[in-house]
Amino acid sequence: MPYLMWLFIIPIIAALSVFLLKPLSGRPLKIIAVLLSLIPLGMLIAKHDTLLGASVEYPWFPALNINFNLKIDGISLIFLYLSAIIIPISLLATRSKFLIHPHTFYGLVLFLEAFLIGFFTARDLAVFTVFWEAMLIPLYFIISIWGGPKRFSAALKFLIYMIAGSALMVAAVLGLYFLAGTFNMDALRPIANNAKYAEILFAVFMLAFAVKTPLFPFHAWLPDTYASASTSGTILLSAILSKAGIYGVLRIGMELFPRTLHEWSPLLLGLAIAGVLYAAFAAWMQKDYKRLIAYSSLSHVNFVLAGLFIMSQTAYEGAVLQAFNHGITIAALFLVAGWLENRLGTTSMDESSGVAKYFPQLCWLTLFFVVSSVAVPGTNNFVGEVLIFLGLFLQNGWLAFILGLSIIFSVVYMLRWMQKVYFGHPSQAKNNWKDIHWKELAIAAPLAALTLWIGFYPQPILNKIEPAVENIVTTSTTPSRQR
């Protein structure tokens, strides 16, 4: 069996194995689930130099000419690594002794890992859509079963938005199939933009991606969902799910509808920049630090989308790198916020003050990831944001200036969080307040190492991204050839 197929199947086998491990519970079960979730990451590292170009193709529904077609290029590889890193982190973030139905939880997360691998490598539009839909199932249950007090209403809102986006996606895929006669994305690439109703199909696809990412103003589900989900659920949603919409814009928007995307880019870029600034202001106004991080995530995701709508190869490379960076940083921020919530018993910034006195290690770890989030030089986000700014500045200096205001805002709202919660007048300590220990530091260590490595030496990742982006840009920046 091809290596890529094993990469997809092993998380499914792992999920089924965890479901069957009924005699185990608590910490032993968690350790097994984490070890199983690390196998895809080990496989990616083991074959790192030979995975580019790997593909599989099997007939699935011959009557409809649907093939189980998976392929890895540089962009796929970046998102595969992100998924393979974040899934074990999300499992490690769970508090096993408080987890109800642990077999179900760990099994669903491992199933999600398989769906993500399938989604980020799919080259058949029907298969792409199947995995797009499948991701909703584990995430809905993770929010509704293991979330906070408002989990049911948050899960329902999440489901309604996602189902609406999925219905749009299915309609667009079927419309394209009936017009072009194939689901094969490589075959669709030269003909989709010239198909009848191409602009309508593009608009429907973009609406689906706008809901899932989300692009402003299709974000109403995000703050409540992020605030109500457990720490693990929030990490999965913020670090990975938002990348599905970004990946959709790359694969469908830029590959299949380059001319239409080029024509619509001013409107889409305007929405993305509005989203960056709106979410930054909203984060500034929050009194709950988990909602503050949720809005900061919305701001940064719209920043990535702005990079995709600039129509510049430099900005594209920056956007793909920044999508990876955002996954690393937002996972780290929700991780440390979850540890803080566990200790304080609240996420309200009005109910806690000066806790750096009691949690000095957690304070400095949080500050490290805050510094990364605001893109200080030497951290991962600095590199991606500079590439996006450079791409925009070469086209429109004023828009680059407006987008740059978001960095100032992010510094203000992030430091406001640090000031109010960690460095204010010390509040009365509680008996059970203990600083983080070495196990929690060990969980955060890979994210901190990636933050510094990409910040100081991003070239190995850019070397993987560049050829794939060049391949897309060849089509997306030459609209006249498509006519």
Side-chain angles (χ1 to χ4, degrees):
M1 184 180 293
Y3 196 79
L4 176 53
M5 203 62 197
W6 280 115
L7 188 65
F8 168 71
I9 287 177
I10 281 178
I12 296 177
I13 297 172
L16 295 173
S17 303
V18 169
F19 279 133
L20 296 174
L21 287 174
K22 292 290 183 183
L24 290 179
S25 63
R27 193 175 174 188
L29 183 63
K30 177 179 175 178
I31 292 172
I32 290 175
V34 171
L35 292 175
L36 290 172
S37 72
L38 283 169
I39 295 176
L41 180 59
M43 293 178 70
L44 288 172
I45 294 172
K47 294 288 184 180
H48 176 81
D49 294 330
T50 58
L51 274 177
L52 287 182
S55 65
V56 297
E57 185 169 5
Y58 303 104
W60 196 8
F61 291 109
L64 295 176
N65 196 25
I66 298 174
N67 294 324
F68 192 81
N69 186 356
L70 308 180
K71 185 176 181 180
I72 297 178
D73 67 0
I75 294 174
S76 298
L77 192 62
I78 295 300
F79 287 98
L80 288 177
Y81 267 112
L82 179 63
S83 304
I85 292 168
I86 295 301
I87 292 289
I89 294 289
S90 71
L91 291 175
L92 287 167
T94 59
R95 304 176 75 188
S96 56
K97 63 181 178 182
F98 299 111
L99 193 65
I100 60 170
H101 311 302
H103 298 83
T104 308
F105 176 83
Y106 295 132
L108 286 174
V109 175
L110 290 168
F111 267 127
L112 178 63
E113 188 169 25
F115 299 153
L116 289 165
I117 292 171
F119 176 74
F120 287 131
T121 56
R123 293 303 300 173
D124 185 291
L125 209 47
V127 176
F128 183 92
T129 307
V130 167
F131 289 124
W132 172 276
E133 306 286 350
M135 282 188 282
L136 297 183
I137 299 170
L139 285 169
Y140 169 74
F141 287 112
I142 287 169
I143 298 166
S144 62
I145 297 177
W146 295 280
K150 297 181 180 178
R151 61 187 182 277
F152 296 115
S153 59
L156 182 61
K157 184 184 284 188
F158 169 79
L159 190 64
I160 290 172
Y161 270 84
M162 293 302 116
I163 291 293
S166 297
L168 292 168
M169 180 83 171
V170 171
V173 168
L174 290 177
L176 190 55
Y177 173 75
F178 288 129
L179 290 172
T182 179
F183 288 111
N184 187 294
M185 293 167 70
D186 293 318
L188 283 169
R189 191 167 175 170
I191 59 178
N193 216 151
N194 298 316
K196 199 174 181 181
Y197 309 119
E199 291 202 352
I200 295 174
L201 292 171
F202 169 80
V204 177
F205 272 120
M206 286 307 301
L207 275 172
F209 302 144
V211 171
K212 200 144 191 165
T213 304
L215 172 68
F216 175 83
F218 305 97
H219 63 279
W221 63 269
L222 183 146
D224 291 342
T225 307
Y226 282 19
S228 300
S230 64
T231 299
S232 302
T234 312
I235 289 173
L236 293 171
L237 286 164
S238 61
I240 302 179
L241 181 72
S242 62
K243 306 307 172 295
I246 291 169
Y247 189 77
V249 174
L250 282 161
R251 289 302 184 208
I252 307 296
M254 295 177 66
E255 284 193 22
L256 303 190
F257 299 96
R259 175 168 52 84
T260 312
L261 178 62
H262 194 272
E263 292 168 354
W264 285 49
S265 63
L267 171 64
L268 295 169
L269 179 60
L271 289 176
I273 293 177
V276 171
L277 298 177
Y278 161 79
F281 274 117
W284 191 353
M285 301 301 293
Q286 297 305 307
K287 295 182 178 180
D288 180 300
Y289 60 80
K290 202 169 178 183
R291 292 181 72 87
L292 182 153
I293 299 172
Y295 276 108
S296 82
S297 176
L298 176 63
S299 181
H300 286 102
V301 162
N302 275 265
F303 198 104
V304 174
L305 288 172
L308 294 180
F309 300 141
I310 290 170
M311 311 305 292
S312 150
Q313 182 173 336
T314 303
Y316 291 157
E317 292 176 16
V320 175
L321 177 62
Q322 193 59 11
F324 183 85
N325 290 336
H326 173 263
I328 297 299
T329 304
I330 200 65
L333 285 174
F334 276 118
L335 191 64
V336 293
W339 290 337
L340 184 61
E341 181 185 5
N342 293 342
R343 284 159 175 78
L344 299 178
T346 178
T347 55
S348 169
M349 290 193 286
D350 292 334
E351 297 177 18
S352 50
S353 177
V355 297
K357 177 180 178 181
Y358 312 108
F359 315 131
Q361 293 186 82
L362 179 57
C363 171
W364 296 119
L365 187 65
T366 303
L367 185 60
F368 174 81
F369 290 121
V370 164
V371 165
S372 165
S373 176
V374 300
V376 169
T379 62
N380 54 345
N381 289 285
F382 175 76
V383 183
E385 290 194 4
V386 163
L387 289 172
I388 293 173
F389 273 123
L390 182 60
L392 183 57
F393 182 78
L394 293 175
Q395 294 189 4
N396 190 317
W398 281 108
L399 278 181
F401 171 76
I402 293 172
L403 188 61
L405 294 175
S406 67
I407 295 180
I408 299 172
F409 295 147
S410 69
V411 171
V412 171
Y413 64 70
M414 279 297 185
L415 291 186
R416 175 173 167 267
W417 171 35
M418 294 298 300
Q419 172 62 31
K420 284 185 74 70
V421 175
Y422 283 104
F423 298 121
H425 181 73
S427 53
Q428 187 67 37
K430 296 181 181 178
N431 292 332
N432 60 345
W433 279 9
K434 294 180 181 177
D435 201 358
I436 55 173
H437 46 72
W438 69 268
K439 291 180 182 176
E440 288 163 320
L441 288 171
I443 295 172
L447 301 176
L450 281 168
T451 297
L452 292 175
W453 177 52
I454 298 171
F456 283 100
Y457 188 49
Q459 200 56 47
I461 295 183
L462 290 173
N463 287 343
K464 297 294 182 186
I465 295 172
E466 188 176 354
V469 169
E470 272 185 359
N471 187 30
I472 293 176
V473 168
T474 301
T475 304
S476 63
T477 56
T478 54
S480 59
R481 295 180 188 176
Q482 304 301 312
R483 292 176 175 148

